[in-house]
Amino acid sequence: MDGDKPSGRDSVDRNVSRRTFVKAAGGAGVAMGLAGCYGDGGDSDGTTVSIGMGTTSIDNVKDRMPELLHENGVDDDITIDWNEQEEASGAQRDQYLQLLQAEEGNPDLMMVDNGWANILINRGLLENVTETLSDDVVSTIEDEYFGPFSDTVRGQNGDLYGVPLFPDFATMMYNKEYAREAGYTDEDFETWSTEPMTWSEWADLVQEITEASDAEYGFTTQWDIYVGTSCCTWNEVMTSFGGAYFGGRENLFGPVGDRPITIDEPEVIEGLRMMYTFATDEEDEITHDDYPVGLADPDIIQYTENSALSPFLQGEAAFHRNWPYALIEAEGDDYEALPEGAGSIGSMPIPYAVERGEGNQPGTGGSNSAQGGWHVALNPYTDNTDAAVQVMEAMTEEDFMLGMMEAQGWLPPKPSMFESETATDPEQVGVVGNHMDTLRVVGQNAMPRPSTSVWSTQSTTIAEQVNRAVAGEKTPEAAAADLQSAIEDIEESA
């Protein structure tokens, strides 16, 4: 993600444990400063491959990742070294830009955010790995990985400029105990886990569960003025209504200044009206007749990831939209207000307004999740290409992916693995194993952010306007019109 919060997560909230935040940060994008290097203690007479990532991620993976790499094909005389980068994703991107433009050969490999990998690709700063990796590995990525995720590290020529490492997908999580109080059972939970609801169906369900339980609010989500709203929560809502910033998926990555701007459209206005209806406390001329008023915690307009999670952890909200780290947090720690035990928290795909393929903009409609995650890219100026390629190819082995899932909670980039016996066993991979069915569904319908050289400016402008609309500071119509004009100006001046 652009900006200072890579997956939109704010600083660690006092109600979210540091242990789980650190683990989740590696799993969904809190990135990785040229502060120094330290290795895995291998043979100093061999080749050393340095991997650039943030200090937090290094602390999390330094013990297990080298073992897994060597177990999956990396020669024993290759030492894995860690090159510390900035923690904030946007700062890390800027640091890589400086290093690569100066033709520095260290680090050999770089963890790159799916939200800005294409910026490095479009400037010719990453090695074309379609030409470097073995044909078998390239075919595996092309044929077996999540397509939308792999596309975020692909050049305009269709080639890959990195190896997809781990994706991140959002779900709608809920308190099963509250749902049981409304009369729902495990059979319902199983259905909800893979069969998306319409926003109208979901809203009625949330209202029913809230009224039957001790929940104060139906749900919480993230709607502050920050990149997480523009890239993710609002993007999910807009796409589910059949809307898009730039006329659909094909224009997500440009060309800037030569693509349609499709914001001042009925489907965008309808999505904003729904969110305003959820957040306001009484009906008025703006509220949407198809949805109940006051379903959301009114503070969503100030919430980012952790602040939105806290009311759910405290039992105040029945439902909550977030990344998989929140599932790990809710089930992995003792919260007095939450039901105890594995499988006590449910998850479901994000609801939708129009059927997939029936949106006004191409490639929209249906349930979708914002696309998060990280890739590993090859520095074109490295002196250790052969060894670095060994490391990248080892990362495509399923045993490596399962090992990192168990050690770090990283989701595998291959949808078929979401159904494997190991990946679905919480005893082996932790809490996230309870939610692999849902994550597989949402992973196949992920929507990347429109990351280009102007996205940082555009994302702030978008977040400001949609925040004001949901806060009731301006009508959805005015917000959409003003946003259309502002994005047009940014595109024209680029």
Side-chain angles (χ1 to χ4, degrees):
M1 265 167 116
D2 280 297
D4 292 335
K5 312 297 183 194
S7 267
R9 299 174 186 183
D10 52 353
S11 57
V12 183
D13 189 279
R14 64 183 177 85
N15 293 304
V16 180
S17 73
R18 175 65 182 174
R19 174 191 58 75
T20 300
F21 177 82
V22 166
K23 183 171 182 178
V30 171
M32 332 318 177
L34 198 57
C37 303
Y38 45 95
D40 65 0
D43 184 357
S44 60
D45 294 331
T47 302
T48 296
V49 173
S50 60
I51 305 175
M53 62 177 73
T55 306
T56 296
S57 290
I58 291 172
D59 289 342
N60 290 338
V61 307
K62 64 183 181 182
D63 294 330
R64 186 67 177 121
M65 183 184 281
E67 295 176 354
L68 289 167
L69 290 171
H70 288 119
E71 290 169 4
N72 285 278
V74 174
D75 291 345
D76 290 340
D77 64 350
I78 294 177
T79 298
I80 305 301
D81 210 31
W82 311 106
N83 185 282
E84 298 178 12
Q85 299 295 316
E86 295 286 351
E87 287 293 337
S89 179
Q92 185 184 16
R93 173 204 58 207
D94 294 343
Q95 193 156 36
Y96 284 150
L97 284 169
Q98 293 176 0
L99 289 168
L100 294 169
Q101 287 168 346
E103 300 185 3
E104 293 284 346
N106 191 40
D108 305 296
L109 297 173
M110 300 164 287
M111 280 185 68
V112 295
D113 191 328
N114 87 104
W116 45 256
N118 71 310
I119 294 176
L120 302 183
I121 295 169
N122 292 340
R123 297 189 186 190
L125 297 174
L126 297 181
E127 185 72 20
N128 183 328
V129 299
T130 293
E131 300 175 351
T132 308
L133 300 171
S134 71
D135 291 343
D136 286 345
V137 168
V138 172
S139 294
T140 295
I141 295 172
E142 297 285 6
D143 299 338
E144 300 180 25
Y145 279 40
F146 284 108
F149 182 50
S150 298
D151 287 345
T152 63
V153 73
R154 196 182 299 279
Q156 294 181 358
N157 60 358
D159 288 352
L160 293 165
Y161 287 78
V163 168
L165 186 57
F166 62 90
D168 210 13
F169 310 121
T171 69
M172 188 70 73
M173 50 196 287
Y174 60 94
N175 185 318
K176 285 186 177 179
E177 183 175 297
Y178 286 168
R180 293 186 197 282
E181 290 174 7
Y184 293 99
T185 67
D186 288 344
E187 185 176 351
D188 298 305
F189 304 154
E190 184 175 357
T191 300
W192 299 350
S193 69
T194 57
E195 298 182 14
M197 302 180 191
T198 66
W199 282 110
S200 180
E201 292 168 339
W202 176 81
D204 289 343
L205 173 71
V206 174
Q207 185 176 44
E208 178 187 4
I209 291 174
T210 304
E211 292 174 351
S213 68
D214 291 333
E216 184 175 351
Y217 310 111
F219 78 103
T220 56
T221 188
Q222 305 82 39
W223 216 268
D224 198 2
I225 301 174
Y226 82 125
V227 68
T229 298
S230 48
C231 83
C232 302
T233 47
W234 163 239
N235 200 8
E236 290 165 355
V237 171
M238 176 178 64
T239 304
S240 78
F241 272 81
Y245 294 125
F246 302 108
R249 287 179 180 264
E250 65 181 14
N251 302 312
L252 283 172
F253 307 125
V256 175
D258 191 26
R259 56 183 174 174
I261 314 298
T262 52
I263 297 172
D264 190 10
E265 299 288 343
E267 60 271 15
V268 172
I269 294 169
E270 285 291 282
L272 289 174
R273 284 185 65 204
M274 180 189 76
M275 289 305 301
Y276 169 78
T277 302
F278 288 159
T280 194
D281 58 1
E282 59 183 20
E283 294 182 358
D284 57 27
E285 67 278 2
I286 299 175
T287 53
H288 203 301
D289 292 340
D290 293 344
Y291 305 103
V293 168
L295 206 61
D297 180 341
D299 287 338
I300 61 170
I301 57 173
Q302 302 171 25
Y303 283 164
T304 57
E305 271 72 3
N306 285 343
S307 50
L309 174 58
S310 291
F312 182 81
L313 297 179
Q314 295 165 8
E316 297 172 3
F319 286 72
H320 172 65
R321 178 265 176 213
N322 215 322
W323 306 96
Y325 89 99
L327 294 166
I328 297 170
E329 177 68 20
E331 285 198 64
D333 276 290
D334 251 349
Y335 288 95
E336 186 176 338
L338 294 181
E340 295 182 4
S344 58
I345 302 299
S347 59
M348 61 175 64
I350 305 295
Y352 67 96
V354 300
E355 295 288 341
R356 183 168 309 283
E358 296 183 6
N360 194 37
Q361 306 302 330
T364 64
S367 172
N368 70 97
S369 161
Q371 176 70 72
W374 291 80
H375 309 294
V376 171
L378 177 61
N379 186 337
Y381 306 107
T382 177
D383 293 325
N384 302 311
T385 298
D386 290 345
V389 167
Q390 273 197 41
V391 172
M392 297 179 84
E393 293 192 340
M395 290 176 173
T396 67
E397 296 291 334
E398 291 192 0
D399 284 346
F400 172 83
M401 298 175 194
L402 289 171
M404 290 308 299
M405 186 178 178
E406 179 181 4
Q408 185 61 21
W410 290 0
L411 298 176
K414 299 172 68 172
S416 62
M417 291 182 64
F418 281 55
E419 301 177 85
S420 73
E421 184 176 342
T422 300
T424 55
D425 183 0
E427 294 295 323
Q428 296 193 60
V429 299
V431 165
V432 72
N434 293 318
H435 303 277
M436 295 302 285
D437 286 345
T438 301
L439 290 166
R440 175 179 50 83
V441 171
V442 299
Q444 292 169 333
N445 301 310
M447 175 62 75
R449 72 208 69 177
S451 185
T452 62
S453 59
V454 296
W455 172 242
S456 180
T457 302
Q458 290 176 334
S459 66
T460 300
T461 303
I462 292 167
E464 288 173 348
Q465 292 297 327
V466 301
N467 176 275
R468 293 185 66 188
V470 173
E473 296 177 5
K474 61 193 318 179
T475 66
E477 290 82 0
D482 290 348
L483 186 53
Q484 173 87 17
S485 178
I487 298 301
E488 287 176 348
D489 289 345
I490 294 171
E491 292 272 313
E492 291 171 3
S493 62

